[in-house]
Amino acid sequence: MLIGLGFEYPLLVGLIGIGLLVLLVMLGVRVVFAAATIGLLGLVELIGWGPAAGIVGIVPHAKSTIYALSVLPMFIFIGFVAFHAGMTTQLFNAASKWLGWLPGGMAVATVFATAGFAAVSGASTATSAVFARVAIPEMLRYGYDRRLAAGVVAAGGTLATLIPPSAILVIYAIIVEESVGRLLLAGFLPGLVSALIYGGIIIGWAKVRPEAAPSVGGATWGERFTSLPPLLPIVAVVFIIISAIYQGWATPTEAGALGAGIVFAVALFRGTGLRPITASLMETAKLTVMIFSLIWGVTIFVRFLGFSGVAEAFTAWVVSLDASPMTIMICILLAYAVLGMFMDAIGMLLLTLPVVYPAVIALGFDSIWFGIIVVKMAEICLVTPPIGLNCFVVSAVRPDIPLPDVFRGIMLFFIADVITIIVLLIFPEIVTWLPDLMRN
Amino acid sequence: MFDTHPAAGGSSLVARADRRLSPVEDATNFVAAIFIFLLMCLGIAQIVLRTVFDTPLSGYVDLVELSMAGMAFLGAAYTQRMGAHIRMELLLSHLRGRGLWAAEIVGALVGMGIIAVLIWYSGAHFWRSFELGDTTIDAEFPVWPSKLVVPVAFSLWFLRLSVQLAGSVRMFIDPSRAPEGVTLMKNAAQVAQEEAEEALAASQDGKTDGC
């Protein structure tokens, strides 16, 4: 009957495939199985068993042994080892020495300390957990509002995904076949802008309610400068990756390897034992398999979509809509916001981008810019109900701060995130400037 | 990401199979971890050799690409046991008893079906490469050992899925039994609690950082 409505047969099969995929994923089938299974069945229907099975047998190995992807285990390893190298307290100490004098200074310091640590660790939730222990007691000691203290820790963790090294930006680059290096560079300024907007909104709020977020002065310049040297490894990792990509003296994988080596050396130097290092390696291997499985599983599905023509049809439909590209973009972002409430960011991107991305490009948006925006949207979902994992984590570390208080505390930063998205929509140059500079 | 694997202490067939399989999975995941560690060493060596001595390793990219099979596949069964292959738990988290185990059975069956197909056809992919004596373009390393990793690792994955299927069927028959050989779901609060504990443990390790 649908054929009667004007759908061509492959397109119809494609749409049914998408429907079945959504059904399986909703039922709780692991995404890699659901995507690969529907991909295989769809290919069989469209091109027959022999060619379909041939494609499916090749994809896992072919798609997983691409040099550009080898940066992922390096970035993941940096993150797990960074935790054992334990730089959090020093980072917070330095940030509060330098920024404590501002209105709401301790909260501003927390933003930059979490941003710095999250950048290296790459893990939002874990960063929030650590800083809930390090920063919240300090803020409470100075009489900070507990909701603000909890909110800033939960929100600060989300800055992880934009500042290099960022695994999720690598994944985006691989799916849409963009340059990994350019995406990593592109994330840096928006990450910084996000942190600055967080800081700005805290200062503004502290001006209105100085008693709830007092400034903490008294650090001498001597104290400030002696607080800096322990931060060198973190600065070094971010600097190495940006400079290697920008100046081209190493590939992202090599830069990641060097960064991992530095963090690893620091961990050894600080007396980290063999057991936590082995555990970090095992965790790294596990997460690597998880991501690679998703990539080849979704690739099998994408091969099927390619034969069905769904992405082309969706693009044609979106372009024909009687609405401005910006309106459509805002609708797409809102859809991601809803989806992100229920799904892991990596799974969400892998499943949706094959269809959404070509349409976004056809509307005239920049591919790198869209990557940054989408990843930022996915991060916002880490702090909004109902899942809001970062908020759960903060409340778990500090049982004295109930979950509703953390969610209330996060409101300020949710507003800041919306401002950031609007700023990036109006000034896409913040995203594209650095990677364009590299190209020239 | 929200799952856990309880230690199987029981004497049922499922528990025994689970105990047999787990050390093998730990070992293969550890080999994958070693590959990752070597990738780090190789990357650093390559930077030093190229920038300091101006003599980069020839065949570096080929070597990395071939070894990536080790990182991408060897830990698949281990990751399955840990419940770390992502899925959406919106519906699952509301299911209890038989309903939950029925969903787990469907999930395991779908997984076994596709992995079985993949074992066969990735095996064929390996065999072609072995017979033709395929090599990489640049350094002319043989490709077949890397391709062989896929069917081998997937076979182990298939075994793990069989254990999970058996464990789920066992629970479906009698949901009051103690779970064995299956992954159990945790809600967001439990995950948060564990993340928090892990992070605390990790920062205790780095306690020398003078707090």
Side-chain angles (χ1 to χ4, degrees):
Chain A
M1 209 174 103
L2 279 166
I3 297 174
L5 290 173
F7 285 110
E8 286 175 29
Y9 185 68
L11 189 58
L12 178 66
V13 175
L15 291 174
I16 293 174
I18 291 175
L20 287 175
L21 178 65
V22 170
L23 184 71
L24 281 188
V25 170
M26 293 286 288
L27 275 174
V29 175
R30 300 200 184 270
V31 174
V32 48
F33 297 150
T37 303
I38 301 299
L40 171 68
L41 295 178
L43 281 169
V44 168
E45 178 61 29
L46 292 181
I47 61 176
W49 176 263
I55 291 177
V56 168
I58 290 170
V59 165
H61 187 269
K63 199 67 192 178
S64 302
T65 53
I66 297 171
Y67 180 73
L69 278 174
S70 62
V71 67
L72 285 171
M74 291 299 94
F75 283 5
I76 297 168
F77 186 52
I78 292 177
F80 281 115
V81 180
F83 270 95
H84 296 290
M87 304 167 201
T88 48
T89 316
Q90 293 156 331
L91 199 54
F92 180 66
N93 177 39
S96 52
K97 291 267 186 316
W98 284 87
L99 300 168
W101 58 275
L102 289 164
M106 295 298 272
V108 179
T110 307
V111 166
F112 284 93
T114 46
F117 186 71
V120 181
S121 87
S124 294
T125 30
T127 304
S128 291
V130 175
F131 276 90
R133 177 174 153 270
V134 175
I136 291 181
E138 285 294 302
M139 282 189 273
L140 296 186
R141 196 157 66 86
Y142 288 106
Y144 276 56
D145 182 285
R146 63 179 55 232
R147 281 169 301 193
L148 174 71
V152 70
V153 169
T158 66
L159 297 168
T161 48
L162 292 179
I163 303 171
S166 160
I168 195 163
L169 286 177
V170 175
I171 294 169
Y172 176 89
I174 300 286
I175 313 174
V176 308
E177 295 176 344
E178 252 296 346
S179 142
V180 169
R182 295 188 70 212
L183 260 144
L184 288 173
L185 281 185
F188 182 67
L189 282 182
L192 209 59
V193 167
S194 282
L196 287 173
I197 292 179
Y198 279 179
I201 210 158
I202 293 171
I203 294 173
W205 191 79
K207 287 261 190 208
V208 182
R209 295 190 53 197
E211 78 290 349
S215 63
V216 179
T220 65
W221 283 102
E223 284 175 340
R224 284 178 185 169
F225 282 106
T226 51
S227 73
L228 290 181
L231 309 187
L232 275 177
I234 291 178
V235 177
V237 169
V238 176
F239 177 79
I240 283 173
I241 289 166
I242 292 179
S243 111
I245 294 167
Y246 185 76
Q247 295 171 321
W249 56 266
T251 65
T253 305
E254 291 161 2
L258 189 55
I262 289 173
V263 179
F264 183 69
V266 171
L268 285 185
F269 180 71
R270 300 228 168 127
T272 309
L274 194 61
R275 191 182 293 267
I277 287 179
T278 315
S280 306
L281 270 169
M282 291 291 272
E283 290 282 309
T284 304
K286 186 179 82 177
L287 209 56
T288 302
V289 167
M290 185 276 265
I291 293 173
F292 276 72
S293 303
L294 271 178
I295 291 173
W296 62 252
V298 170
T299 302
I300 292 176
F301 183 72
V302 169
R303 292 279 180 280
F304 156 55
L305 279 190
F307 280 100
S308 75
V310 166
E312 290 84 348
F314 180 73
T315 302
W317 175 72
V318 167
V319 172
S320 73
L321 285 178
D322 192 20
S324 74
M326 197 46 102
T327 314
I328 298 173
M329 174 55 67
I330 289 168
C331 291
I332 291 174
L333 292 181
L334 289 177
Y336 271 116
V338 173
L339 202 56
M341 288 177 186
F342 306 105
M343 234 185 141
D344 174 275
I346 295 174
M348 174 174 94
L349 289 188
L350 278 164
L351 283 178
T352 56
L353 284 175
V355 174
V356 173
Y357 177 78
V360 167
I361 298 308
L363 287 172
F365 291 100
D366 181 83
S367 67
I368 293 202
W369 173 85
F370 182 62
I372 301 298
I373 293 273
V374 160
V375 167
K376 180 75 191 165
M377 286 304 292
E379 279 302 289
I380 295 177
C381 298
L382 272 177
V383 293
T384 47
I387 303 231
L389 200 54
N390 278 14
C391 298
F392 279 95
V393 166
V394 171
S395 180
V397 179
R398 301 284 309 195
D400 56 317
I401 307 178
L403 195 57
D405 276 0
V406 186
F407 277 125
R408 235 167 270 142
I410 211 83
M411 275 313 294
L412 205 57
F413 302 97
F414 179 73
I415 296 167
D417 279 336
V418 173
I419 295 175
T420 305
I421 295 274
I422 293 171
V423 167
L424 295 181
L425 284 172
I426 299 173
F427 304 105
E429 297 81 9
I430 297 172
V431 177
T432 53
W433 180 72
L434 204 51
D436 284 348
L437 212 59
M438 177 179 89
R439 184 182 270 174
N440 300 332
Chain B
M1 218 171 278
F2 285 43
D3 303 331
T4 180
H5 181 81
S11 57
S12 68
L13 192 62
V14 174
R16 273 183 290 155
D18 186 15
R19 278 198 299 270
R20 281 275 169 82
L21 208 51
S22 295
V24 182
E25 291 164 346
D26 291 350
T28 51
N29 194 64
F30 187 70
V31 173
I34 298 290
F35 269 110
I36 291 171
F37 191 77
L38 291 178
L39 176 67
M40 178 184 95
C41 300
L42 194 64
I44 297 172
Q46 178 71 344
I47 291 181
V48 172
L49 286 173
R50 191 179 49 224
T51 54
V52 181
F53 301 105
D54 201 23
T55 49
L57 292 168
S58 64
Y60 163 78
V61 171
D62 285 355
L63 197 60
V64 169
E65 290 195 337
L66 290 178
S67 67
M68 284 172 74
M71 305 166 208
F73 302 109
L74 280 179
Y78 175 89
T79 306
Q80 179 71 31
R81 185 175 98 221
M82 296 299 175
H85 287 290
I86 63 164
R87 60 175 171 180
M88 193 158 138
E89 307 198 324
L90 189 62
L91 180 73
L92 284 181
S93 58
H94 293 287
L95 295 177
R96 293 280 173 276
R98 286 220 166 87
L100 173 64
W101 298 115
E104 293 281 9
I105 289 170
V106 171
L109 283 175
V110 172
M112 287 168 77
I114 187 69
I115 295 301
V117 173
L118 285 171
I119 292 171
W120 185 260
Y121 286 93
S122 66
H125 189 46
F126 147 72
W127 188 246
R128 271 195 305 277
S129 161
F130 180 73
E131 281 198 319
L132 294 171
D134 264 0
T135 58
T136 57
I137 297 164
D138 185 18
E140 305 202 333
F141 296 127
V143 176
W144 64 264
S146 172
K147 289 188 174 166
L148 180 59
V149 173
V150 184
V152 170
F154 282 9
S155 301
L156 196 59
W157 195 358
F158 187 85
L159 289 179
R160 169 51 60 190
L161 284 165
S162 325
V163 171
Q164 291 188 340
L165 177 67
S168 301
V169 170
R170 183 176 159 275
M171 293 305 291
F172 181 77
I173 295 167
D174 181 4
S176 65
R177 286 174 176 164
E180 277 168 2
V182 291
T183 53
L184 297 176
M185 260 183 305
K186 295 173 282 187
N187 60 33
Q190 286 166 310
V191 181
Q193 187 66 46
E194 273 174 30
E195 282 260 2
E197 279 163 13
E198 270 172 35
L200 296 197
S203 55
Q204 297 293 339
D205 290 334
K207 201 62 182 191
T208 39
D209 81 345
C211 43

